[in-house]
Amino acid sequence: VRALFQALGQIPEKIRVPWMLRNIEGYALAEVAQMCDSSIATVKRRISKAQQRIDRRIGPDTFAASNTSPSRLNPQQESPRHG
């Protein structure tokens, strides 16, 4: 988990925020797009770019987007979105 957050800290905010909203907080793409004042297509591109950078830093599949959830990242703390 520490490696993931270190990698996220090195990613520009513009692509980090959509990735975190989608993969950590669990928001739908449409919600992320609205929060980021962007189109869904733009949000998808930014999430993909962020995932590529994370994969380069900590290795693919270490924290793949499909396997990332608030409970997997911190089982002691529920996400505000889901709690």
Side-chain angles (χ1 to χ4, degrees):
V1 173
R2 183 176 300 173
L4 172 63
F5 283 101
Q6 287 175 340
L8 286 168
Q10 298 173 5
I11 295 172
E13 182 177 1
K14 195 171 196 174
I15 63 172
R16 180 180 68 238
V17 169
W19 188 94
M20 292 181 74
L21 288 171
R22 177 73 173 143
N23 295 300
I24 294 176
E25 297 297 329
Y27 287 101
L29 286 171
E31 293 172 305
V32 175
Q34 183 177 11
M35 286 186 259
C36 294
D37 195 28
S38 300
S39 70
I40 292 175
T42 297
V43 165
K44 285 181 178 181
R45 280 191 302 273
R46 289 177 181 170
I47 290 170
S48 177
K49 280 185 183 182
Q51 188 65 54
Q52 289 171 1
R53 290 185 185 196
I54 291 166
D55 290 347
R56 282 198 306 260
R57 286 180 170 80
I58 63 175
D61 301 326
T62 302
F63 289 101
S66 62
N67 293 328
T68 305
S69 71
S71 61
R72 287 179 56 87
L73 293 177
N74 188 352
Q76 304 301 318
Q77 179 182 354
E78 289 188 34
S79 168
R81 174 81 174 131
H82 302 286

